Amino acid sequence: MSEPGFELVKSSLSRHRQTATSVARIIPTQQEIDELFKERITPERDLPPMQPLFEMFDVPCFYRGELVADCGKAKSGKTFFLSILMTACLTEKVLALERYHPKDEQQADSSNPLKVLWLDTEQSQQSTQEILKDRIIPLAERELDIGDSPHDSITPESLNSTFYAFNLRGLGFDKRQKMVEVALRAIKPDICIIDGVKDLMTDINDAVQATLIMENLMALAKELNCCIVCVLHQNKSEQDRNMRGSIGTELTNKAFEVFQCEMIDESGTFKVTHTYSRKKKMRPKLYYTVNEAGLPEQCQDYREQPRDAQGRWISSKDLTDPSENQMTENDLRKLFVTAMEGRTQRPFNEVMAIALKKCGVIDAKAYYQYLDQAIEQQIIYKEVHPETGATWVVLTDNELPF
């Protein structure tokens, strides 16, 4: 039988050998050092400029070589916003979304349609075809009729050479993963839509799978110089705006920008918010409704219908009565500065509670009207935290702490 002390010595020697082996393994070769230094960034390094494909409200967006997230609750208009995006690839402009043209280039030089790859993993083949036939093509033809695009119409020949839609719903997740890469390498699109990215994995909460999928998509976007748009649902809770699962966490971390879609009233008005960007974030939101022909029309005058804590619509009838609850600009500014209690930004629920309890606001309906008035007069604005989904109220000309 071995002495206890001897066993401790053997254990210590064993750990020492493992440590020595580990250190030896990370001694870099010259080839590895050369490979590392190829990725070095210096102020003098000549890098190509970033290339946005579109702009909205004069803010460039959807950059080549990057991942973009399109998120929202169920039935919030995610696919409808994608339809607007894909239509804009065929035309010059749809609603507020228009093709980006560098200032030093002639518009005619960059007016050719963009090559689109749409990979639908959620809907039936018939639904994918209906969106293409009954929404994207009619919307493109409508915009071409009213715009200055050099393209007269959407012909089968022009569509077949620029628009590639595939329905991968019937394939297994492993086959879908492979077909995504096959499609990207074979077609080499300017922009690729993956609706939805969660169907490339077996478990939405598998962190390893999520990391591998995001790393592969980032590598493909960079290699093929295309923009890859990933569609993902947000969590079901009305208060939780995070994207679902580990794949949502990875997409939030890796995306260059995030667009959030939501339906804001019972009549079917939709809003698209640019909630996050690594470059310039757009403040205005895109509001649109759907007409009788099933095509989007931009709203010029809108008022969001509020919801309660459970996500149920609250009647906004009393909020729109101009004869009640009117305040001067100075009173509004004093109300929200007081509610901030010395801060420049604060979570929405905290501001509401303080305004109701300490500032003499009579009820929630009056508060919502004061909120709308303050936003219209640019005293404050609302922001959504890119990670938690929480709504913040911010005094104008001040930045959020995230």
Side-chain angles (χ1 to χ4, degrees), residues 56-57 84 94-97 142-143 262-265 267-272 284-291 295-305:
M56 192 157 66
F57 303 113
I84 295 171
V94 180
L95 305 188
L97 186 67
R142 185 190 78 179
E143 297 303 315
E262 56 185 312
M263 186 167 68
I264 61 171
D265 62 31
S267 64
T269 303
F270 296 90
K271 178 177 74 171
V272 179
K285 281 74 172 174
L286 171 63
Y287 292 83
Y288 66 91
T289 56
V290 180
N291 63 21
L295 302 181
E297 294 183 346
Q298 189 168 349
C299 300
Q300 301 300 329
D301 185 18
Y302 54 84
R303 180 180 292 274
E304 294 188 36
Q305 184 176 355

Coordinates of all heavy atoms in Angstrom, one line a residue, residues 56-57 84 94-97 142-143 262-265 267-272 284-291 295-305:
M56 N -32.2 54.1 -45.2 CA -33.6 54.4 -44.8 C -33.5 55.6 -43.9 O -32.7 55.7 -42.9 CB -34.2 53.2 -44.0 CG -35.7 53.3 -43.8 SD -36.5 51.7 -43.5 CE -35.8 51.2 -42.0
F57 N -34.3 56.6 -44.2 CA -34.3 57.9 -43.5 C -32.8 58.5 -43.6 O -32.4 59.0 -42.6 CB -34.8 57.8 -42.1 CG -36.2 57.2 -42.0 CD1 -36.4 55.9 -41.5 CD2 -37.3 57.9 -42.5 CE1 -37.7 55.4 -41.4 CE2 -38.5 57.4 -42.5 CZ -38.8 56.1 -41.9
I84 N -40.7 43.8 -48.3 CA -40.3 45.2 -48.7 C -38.8 45.2 -49.0 O -38.4 45.8 -50.0 CB -40.6 46.2 -47.5 CG1 -42.1 46.2 -47.3 CG2 -40.1 47.6 -47.8 CD1 -42.5 47.0 -46.0
V94 N -38.6 51.4 -52.1 CA -39.9 50.9 -51.6 C -40.2 51.6 -50.2 O -39.4 51.4 -49.3 CB -40.0 49.4 -51.5 CG1 -41.4 48.9 -51.0 CG2 -39.7 48.7 -52.8
L95 N -41.3 52.3 -50.1 CA -41.6 53.1 -48.9 C -40.3 53.9 -48.5 O -39.8 54.7 -49.4 CB -42.0 52.2 -47.8 CG -43.2 51.2 -48.1 CD1 -43.6 50.5 -46.8 CD2 -44.3 51.9 -48.7
A96 N -39.8 53.8 -47.3 CA -38.7 54.6 -46.9 C -37.3 53.9 -47.2 O -36.3 54.5 -47.0 CB -38.7 55.0 -45.4
L97 N -37.4 52.7 -47.7 CA -36.2 51.9 -47.9 C -35.7 52.1 -49.4 O -36.5 51.8 -50.3 CB -36.4 50.4 -47.7 CG -35.2 49.5 -47.7 CD1 -34.2 49.8 -46.6 CD2 -35.6 48.1 -47.6
R142 N -45.6 48.2 -58.8 CA -46.2 49.4 -58.4 C -45.1 50.5 -58.2 O -45.3 51.6 -58.7 CB -46.9 49.2 -57.1 CG -47.7 50.5 -56.6 CD -48.2 50.3 -55.2 NE -47.1 50.5 -54.2 CZ -47.4 50.4 -52.9 NH1 -48.6 50.1 -52.4 NH2 -46.3 50.6 -52.0
E143 N -44.0 50.1 -57.6 CA -42.9 51.1 -57.4 C -42.3 51.5 -58.7 O -41.9 52.7 -58.8 CB -41.9 50.5 -56.4 CG -42.4 50.2 -55.0 CD -43.0 51.4 -54.4 OE1 -42.4 52.5 -54.4 OE2 -44.2 51.3 -53.8
E262 N -43.0 45.1 -35.2 CA -44.2 44.9 -34.3 C -45.4 45.5 -34.9 O -45.4 46.4 -35.7 CB -43.9 45.5 -33.0 CG -43.5 46.9 -33.0 CD -43.1 47.4 -31.6 OE1 -43.8 47.2 -30.6 OE2 -42.1 48.1 -31.5
M263 N -46.6 44.9 -34.5 CA -47.9 45.5 -34.9 C -48.3 46.4 -33.7 O -48.3 46.0 -32.6 CB -48.9 44.4 -35.1 CG -50.2 44.9 -35.6 SD -51.3 43.6 -36.3 CE -51.7 42.8 -34.7
I264 N -48.6 47.6 -34.0 CA -48.8 48.6 -33.0 C -50.2 49.0 -32.7 O -50.5 49.8 -31.8 CB -48.0 49.9 -33.2 CG1 -48.5 50.5 -34.5 CG2 -46.5 49.6 -33.3 CD1 -47.8 51.9 -34.8
D265 N -51.2 48.5 -33.5 CA -52.6 48.7 -33.1 C -53.5 47.6 -33.7 O -53.0 46.8 -34.6 CB -53.1 50.1 -33.5 CG -53.0 50.3 -35.0 OD1 -53.2 49.4 -35.8 OD2 -52.8 51.5 -35.5
S267 N -55.9 47.8 -35.7 CA -56.3 47.9 -37.1 C -55.2 47.4 -38.1 O -55.5 47.3 -39.3 CB -56.5 49.4 -37.4 OG -55.3 50.2 -37.3
G268 N -54.0 47.0 -37.6 CA -53.0 46.4 -38.5 C -52.0 47.4 -39.0 O -51.6 47.3 -40.1
T269 N -51.6 48.3 -38.1 CA -50.5 49.2 -38.4 C -49.2 48.6 -37.9 O -49.1 48.1 -36.7 CB -50.7 50.6 -37.8 OG1 -51.9 51.1 -38.2 CG2 -49.5 51.5 -38.2
F270 N -48.1 48.6 -38.7 CA -46.9 47.9 -38.3 C -45.8 49.0 -38.2 O -45.8 50.0 -38.8 CB -46.5 46.9 -39.4 CG -47.4 45.7 -39.5 CD1 -48.5 45.8 -40.4 CD2 -47.3 44.6 -38.7 CE1 -49.4 44.7 -40.5 CE2 -48.1 43.5 -38.9 CZ -49.2 43.6 -39.8
K271 N -44.8 48.6 -37.3 CA -43.7 49.5 -37.1 C -42.4 48.7 -37.2 O -42.3 47.6 -36.7 CB -43.8 50.2 -35.7 CG -42.6 51.1 -35.4 CD -42.7 51.8 -34.0 CE -42.5 50.8 -32.9 NZ -42.4 51.5 -31.6
V272 N -41.4 49.3 -37.8 CA -40.1 48.7 -37.9 C -39.1 49.7 -37.3 O -39.0 50.9 -37.6 CB -39.6 48.5 -39.4 CG1 -38.2 47.9 -39.4 CG2 -40.6 47.6 -40.1
P284 N -35.7 57.7 -36.8 CA -37.1 57.6 -37.2 C -37.5 56.1 -37.3 O -36.6 55.2 -37.6 CB -37.1 58.3 -38.6 CG -35.9 59.1 -38.6 CD -34.9 58.4 -37.8
K285 N -38.7 55.8 -37.2 CA -39.3 54.5 -37.4 C -40.1 54.4 -38.7 O -40.6 55.4 -39.1 CB -40.2 54.0 -36.2 CG -39.5 53.6 -34.9 CD -38.8 54.7 -34.2 CE -38.3 54.2 -32.8 NZ -37.6 55.3 -32.1
L286 N -40.1 53.2 -39.2 CA -40.9 53.0 -40.4 C -42.3 52.5 -40.0 O -42.4 51.4 -39.4 CB -40.3 52.0 -41.4 CG -41.1 51.5 -42.6 CD1 -41.5 52.7 -43.5 CD2 -40.4 50.4 -43.3
Y287 N -43.4 53.3 -40.3 CA -44.7 52.8 -40.0 C -45.4 52.6 -41.3 O -45.3 53.4 -42.3 CB -45.5 53.9 -39.3 CG -45.0 54.2 -37.9 CD1 -43.9 55.0 -37.6 CD2 -45.6 53.6 -36.8 CE1 -43.4 55.3 -36.3 CE2 -45.2 53.9 -35.5 CZ -44.1 54.7 -35.3 OH -43.7 54.9 -34.0
Y288 N -46.2 51.5 -41.4 CA -46.9 51.2 -42.6 C -48.2 50.3 -42.3 O -48.3 49.7 -41.3 CB -46.0 50.4 -43.6 CG -45.6 49.0 -43.2 CD1 -46.4 47.9 -43.6 CD2 -44.5 48.8 -42.5 CE1 -46.0 46.6 -43.2 CE2 -44.1 47.5 -42.1 CZ -44.9 46.5 -42.5 OH -44.5 45.2 -42.1
T289 N -49.1 50.4 -43.2 CA -50.3 49.6 -43.1 C -50.4 48.8 -44.4 O -49.6 49.0 -45.4 CB -51.6 50.5 -43.0 OG1 -51.6 51.4 -44.1 CG2 -51.6 51.3 -41.7
V290 N -51.3 47.8 -44.5 CA -51.5 47.0 -45.6 C -52.8 47.3 -46.3 O -53.9 47.3 -45.6 CB -51.4 45.5 -45.2 CG1 -51.6 44.6 -46.5 CG2 -50.1 45.2 -44.6
N291 N -52.8 47.7 -47.6 CA -54.1 48.1 -48.2 C -54.9 46.8 -48.6 O -54.5 45.7 -48.4 CB -53.8 49.0 -49.4 CG -52.9 48.3 -50.5 OD1 -52.9 47.1 -50.6 ND2 -52.3 49.1 -51.3
L295 N -50.8 45.1 -50.2 CA -49.5 45.8 -50.4 C -49.3 46.8 -49.3 O -50.3 47.5 -48.9 CB -49.4 46.4 -51.8 CG -49.6 45.4 -52.9 CD1 -49.4 46.1 -54.3 CD2 -48.6 44.2 -52.8
P296 N -48.1 47.0 -48.9 CA -47.8 48.0 -47.8 C -47.9 49.5 -48.3 O -47.5 49.8 -49.4 CB -46.4 47.7 -47.3 CG -45.7 47.1 -48.6 CD -46.8 46.4 -49.3
E297 N -48.4 50.3 -47.4 CA -48.4 51.8 -47.7 C -47.9 52.5 -46.5 O -48.3 52.2 -45.4 CB -49.8 52.2 -48.0 CG -50.4 51.7 -49.3 CD -51.8 52.2 -49.6 OE1 -52.4 52.8 -48.7 OE2 -52.2 52.0 -50.8
Q298 N -47.0 53.4 -46.7 CA -46.3 54.1 -45.6 C -47.3 55.0 -44.9 O -48.1 55.7 -45.5 CB -45.1 54.8 -46.0 CG -44.2 55.4 -44.9 CD -42.9 55.9 -45.4 OE1 -42.5 55.6 -46.5 NE2 -42.1 56.5 -44.5
C299 N -47.3 55.1 -43.5 CA -48.1 56.0 -42.8 C -47.4 57.3 -42.6 O -46.2 57.3 -42.1 CB -48.4 55.4 -41.4 SG -49.3 53.8 -41.5
Q300 N -48.0 58.4 -42.8 CA -47.5 59.7 -42.6 C -47.9 60.2 -41.2 O -47.2 61.0 -40.6 CB -47.9 60.6 -43.7 CG -47.4 60.2 -45.1 CD -45.9 60.0 -45.2 OE1 -45.1 60.8 -44.5 NE2 -45.4 59.1 -46.0
D301 N -49.1 59.8 -40.8 CA -49.7 60.3 -39.5 C -50.1 59.1 -38.7 O -50.9 58.3 -39.1 CB -50.9 61.2 -39.8 CG -51.4 61.8 -38.5 OD1 -50.7 61.8 -37.5 OD2 -52.6 62.3 -38.5
Y302 N -49.5 58.9 -37.6 CA -49.7 57.7 -36.8 C -49.7 58.0 -35.3 O -49.2 59.0 -34.9 CB -48.7 56.6 -37.1 CG -47.3 57.1 -36.9 CD1 -46.7 57.2 -35.6 CD2 -46.5 57.7 -37.9 CE1 -45.4 57.7 -35.4 CE2 -45.3 58.2 -37.7 CZ -44.7 58.2 -36.5 OH -43.5 58.7 -36.3
R303 N -50.4 57.1 -34.6 CA -50.4 57.2 -33.1 C -50.4 55.8 -32.6 O -51.3 55.0 -32.9 CB -51.6 58.0 -32.6 CG -51.6 58.1 -31.1 CD -52.8 58.9 -30.6 NE -52.7 60.2 -31.0 CZ -52.1 61.2 -30.3 NH1 -51.6 60.8 -29.1 NH2 -52.0 62.4 -30.7
E304 N -49.4 55.4 -31.8 CA -49.3 54.0 -31.4 C -50.4 53.8 -30.3 O -50.6 54.6 -29.4 CB -48.0 53.7 -30.8 CG -46.9 53.7 -31.8 CD -45.5 53.2 -31.3 OE1 -45.6 52.3 -30.4 OE2 -44.5 53.8 -31.6
Q305 N -51.1 52.6 -30.4 CA -52.0 52.2 -29.4 C -51.3 51.6 -28.2 O -50.6 50.6 -28.4 CB -53.1 51.3 -30.0 CG -54.2 50.9 -29.1 CD -55.3 50.1 -29.7 OE1 -55.2 49.8 -30.9 NE2 -56.2 49.6 -29.0

